[in-house]
């Protein structure tokens, strides 16, 4: 009887094995390791080499706007023509080239033979836009690939959770590299700062490219979208999604989750070194603790048998943890800075919960509507990028200018941006999550074929 039931279930509904999940999960490592450096150190790096906080925010915003527009374009083109892996490799090439051109020094200054302030600002803004264009192409192709690889719901969430776990690995690798570089090269002058980040950039790109090879060798081009039964269906228009209440709910939750994680990550280096007055190594150690805890929580999450009710419940738990930890970060005095270590652990767990569950909700929104999945992932990423760029630009507009090597006292902007503002976003997430009315489909999805990690 069991064999007869298994035969009645389509092959695509059977759970995936360990290797397909793991090889897919490493496919975003280059994006993740460069993104970790981007959000944690870009604003700090640009201000340390002499850009005003507002101009540093302009560089960040130019990248975010380019990313947001590219997500829409990439989503539309992938929905029309497919070729997920081609978009993935093309975007990865742009990421590697432009990332080294930002943290490796001002390439435009070298080409024009001048180091003027305007040329530096324009040069960094241009390559920030190129970086984010490549990043968006890689991200949309990688995320939208999930729904066209498998129909099994548990396997879909396992793919998203494995991807998130390797996001944590990428962040840990980045902070390990940063810790080693900051220890080996002391920043006595602004030129030393450029050398520090150049080494971080080159090592990050090399490691990311190694995982890129594993992904392209171990992951096949998804076939569900190109099968006969899928071809018979017309391509889903944008209007179809705009008529669904769930689309707006998931879009808001995804945007808020990214605002929580990205805004806090972008300002935490300022917060620990300037507000809490911790040592130079803390700007690598504290983020590393956050992502280490996120990694372990993600490992646990990818072993769970998922349904929509559980997604909503764990999202609520993650947002609640962020409300508590964010308020604690906001009121934490510099004399008690050692409490930041346990707070970082709570933040890491909360980040994993809100990230995995919101990506899982994206997959639940798409369901089996494969002919429009790339638009969903692209449009939600558009909201994420634009909102994060605007939020950071507004915050940095109130930041005080800091010269290279200068220290400062308590800073309201980074304290708000690392603690209170993410907590407010978490409260909004709780409100939106309470309005979700999700129904689970027939329980045809079994657990994974084998544990992902033993």
């Amino acid at each position: 009887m069991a064999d007869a039931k298994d035969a009645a279930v389509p092959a695509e509904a059977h759970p995936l094995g360990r290797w397909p999940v793991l090889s897919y999960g490493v496919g975003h490592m280059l994006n993740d390791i460069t993104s970790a450096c981007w959000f944690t150190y870009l604003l700090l790096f640009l201000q340390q080499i002499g850009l005003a906080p507002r101009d540093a925010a302009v560089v960040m915003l130019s990248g975010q706007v380019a990313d947001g527009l590219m997500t829409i374009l990439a989503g539309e083109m992938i929905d029309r023509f497919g070729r997920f892996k081609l978009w993935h490799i093309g975007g990865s090439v742009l990421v590697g080239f432009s990332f080294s051109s930002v943290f490796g020094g001002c390439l435009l200054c070298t080409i024009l033979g001048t180091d003027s302030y305007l040329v530096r600002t324009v040069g960094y803004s241009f390559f920030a836009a190129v970086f984010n264009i490549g990043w968006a192409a890689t991200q949309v192709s990688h995320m939208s690939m999930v729904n066209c690889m498998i129909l099994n719901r548990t396997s879909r969430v396992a793919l998203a959770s494995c991807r998130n776990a390797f996001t944590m690995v990428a962040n840990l690798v980045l902070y390990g590299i940063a810790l080693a570089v900051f220890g080996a090269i002391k920043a006595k002058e602004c030129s030393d700062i450029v050398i520090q980040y150049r080494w971080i950039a080159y090592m990050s790109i090399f490691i990311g490219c190694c995982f890129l090879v594993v992904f392209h060798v171990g992951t096949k081009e998804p076939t569900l979208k190109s099968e006969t039964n899928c071809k018979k269906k017309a391509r889903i228009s944008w209007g179809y999604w705009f008529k669904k209440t769930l689309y707006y709910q998931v879009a808001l939750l995804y945007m808020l989750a990214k605002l929580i994680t990205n805004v806090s990550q972008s300002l935490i280096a300022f917060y620990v070194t300037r507000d809490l007055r911790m040592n130079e190594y803390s700007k690598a150690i504290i983020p590393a603790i956050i992502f280490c805890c996120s990694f372990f929580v993600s490992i646990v999450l990818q072993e769970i048998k998922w349904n929509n009710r559980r997604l909503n419940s764990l999202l609520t738990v993650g947002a609640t943890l962020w409300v508590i930890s964010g308020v604690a970060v906001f009121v934490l005095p510099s004399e008690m800075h050692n409490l930041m270590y346990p707070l970082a652990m709570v933040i890491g767990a909360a980040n994993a919960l809100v990230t995995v569950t919101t990506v899982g909700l994206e997959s639940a929104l798409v369901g089996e509507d494969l002919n429009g999945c790339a638009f969903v992932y692209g449009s939600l990423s558009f909201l994420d990028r634009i909102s994060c760029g605007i939020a950071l630009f507004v915050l940095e507009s109130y930041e005080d200018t800091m010269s290279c090597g200068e220290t400062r006292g308590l800073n309201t902007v980074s304290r708000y941006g690392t603690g209170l503002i993410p907590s407010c976003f978490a409260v909004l997430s709780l409100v939106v999550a309470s309005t979700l009315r999700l129904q689970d489909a027939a329980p045809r999805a079994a657990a994974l074929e084998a544990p992902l990690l033993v």
Side-chain angles (χ1 to χ4, degrees):
M1 291 292 292
D3 292 339
K5 286 182 180 180
D6 289 341
V9 178
E12 297 82 4
H14 289 293
L16 288 174
R18 179 186 314 211
W19 172 244
V21 174
L22 289 177
S23 62
Y24 170 83
V26 303
H28 213 248
M29 279 286 287
L30 177 61
N31 262 25
D32 288 331
I33 198 169
T34 53
S35 177
C37 187
W38 192 265
F39 281 107
T40 307
Y41 297 128
L42 179 65
L43 293 175
L44 183 64
F45 166 68
L46 293 175
Q47 291 182 46
Q48 285 181 326
I49 63 172
L51 263 65
R54 188 180 184 88
D55 292 327
V58 168
V59 174
M60 174 73 82
L61 182 60
S62 66
Q64 296 298 101
V65 171
D67 191 334
L69 295 175
M70 185 60 189
T71 54
I72 297 293
L73 176 61
E76 177 67 14
M77 298 299 286
I78 290 171
D79 276 338
R80 286 179 180 272
F81 306 110
R83 308 295 296 176
F84 296 91
K85 293 181 70 175
L86 184 63
W87 280 92
H88 189 280
I89 192 66
S92 299
V93 171
L94 288 179
V95 165
F97 168 71
S98 55
F99 186 73
S100 62
S101 300
V102 173
F103 285 100
C106 180
L107 182 60
L108 186 62
C109 298
T110 304
I111 294 172
L112 297 181
T114 178
D115 193 34
S116 72
Y117 187 89
L118 178 61
V119 172
R120 276 192 296 162
T121 305
V122 172
Y124 283 122
S125 298
F126 173 76
F127 283 107
V130 174
F131 169 77
N132 280 276
I133 287 171
W135 203 96
T138 304
Q139 184 206 31
V140 173
S141 59
H142 192 257
M143 291 184 70
S144 58
M145 197 181 289
V146 170
N147 287 65
C148 294
M149 287 175 65
I150 191 73
L151 295 177
N152 183 284
R153 176 172 297 167
T154 296
S155 288
R156 283 181 174 181
V157 178
L159 287 168
S161 187
C162 187
R163 175 183 182 274
N164 189 57
F166 278 103
T167 296
M168 307 313 157
V169 171
N171 281 268
L172 290 175
V173 169
L174 182 276
Y175 297 127
I177 293 171
L179 190 60
V181 171
F182 293 146
I185 304 173
K186 302 302 180 183
K188 298 177 181 178
E189 299 178 354
C190 287
S191 59
D192 297 328
I193 294 172
V194 175
I195 294 172
Q196 283 181 333
Y197 286 101
R198 181 178 297 159
W199 274 105
I200 292 172
Y202 291 163
M203 293 170 70
S204 299
I205 292 168
F206 173 76
I207 293 171
C209 287
C210 291
F211 284 99
L212 192 66
V213 172
V214 174
F215 166 74
H216 281 279
V217 170
T219 305
K220 298 178 181 178
E221 179 73 22
T223 57
L224 288 183
K225 192 172 179 178
S226 60
E227 289 177 357
T228 305
N229 63 337
C230 194
K231 282 183 176 180
K232 290 179 181 178
K233 300 177 183 178
R235 193 177 67 84
I236 296 174
S237 67
W238 297 6
Y240 169 81
W241 300 109
F242 293 150
K243 293 176 183 176
K244 299 184 73 167
T245 303
L246 183 60
Y247 174 82
Y248 298 100
Q249 293 171 317
V250 173
L252 274 173
L253 287 171
Y254 183 79
M255 181 185 72
L256 290 168
K258 287 298 184 179
L259 281 168
I260 290 169
T261 55
N262 289 342
V263 171
S264 61
Q265 183 181 357
S266 296
L267 296 173
I268 197 164
F270 292 100
Y271 174 73
V272 297
T273 56
R274 300 180 186 177
D275 293 340
L276 297 186
R277 304 194 183 185
M278 300 175 74
N279 60 40
E280 192 74 5
Y281 296 108
S282 65
K283 65 185 181 184
I285 294 174
I286 294 298
I289 293 173
I290 291 174
F291 284 97
C292 188
C293 292
S294 291
F295 172 72
F296 287 117
V297 172
S298 294
I299 294 301
V300 174
L301 292 177
Q302 67 187 18
E303 302 298 333
I304 294 176
K305 184 176 180 181
W306 287 91
N307 54 47
N308 291 333
R309 185 177 180 182
R310 188 164 292 168
L311 281 172
N312 198 4
S313 298
L314 289 180
L315 171 61
T316 302
V317 172
T320 303
L321 287 176
W322 239 115
V323 172
I324 297 169
S325 57
V327 171
V329 165
F330 179 68
V331 300
L332 183 66
S334 59
E335 295 78 11
M336 302 175 66
H337 63 255
N338 285 334
L339 289 178
M340 189 60 204
Y341 293 105
L343 281 175
M345 297 173 67
V346 178
I347 290 172
N351 281 350
L353 287 167
V354 297
T355 300
V356 170
T357 51
T358 50
V359 173
L361 286 171
E362 282 187 289
S363 184
L365 168 64
V366 171
E368 297 182 14
D369 296 325
L370 305 183
N371 286 325
C373 61
F375 169 75
V376 171
Y377 289 108
S379 60
L380 267 56
S381 293
F382 171 81
L383 289 175
D384 149 34
R385 295 302 169 189
I386 298 298
S387 60
C388 286
I390 293 174
L392 289 171
F393 178 78
V394 171
L395 284 169
E396 284 298 296
S397 296
Y398 292 96
E399 179 71 281
D400 294 327
T401 302
M402 185 200 74
S403 301
C404 186
E406 183 183 341
T407 58
R408 64 177 183 180
L410 189 66
N411 186 279
T412 305
V413 170
S414 55
R415 190 173 284 273
Y416 269 81
T418 308
L420 188 61
I421 291 176
S423 290
C424 293
F425 291 144
V427 171
L428 290 175
S429 297
L430 289 172
V431 173
V432 177
S434 68
T435 66
L436 286 174
R437 297 293 181 266
L438 297 170
Q439 293 184 348
D440 287 307
R444 68 182 183 186
L448 289 177
E449 221 174 65
L452 296 175
L453 297 176
V454 293

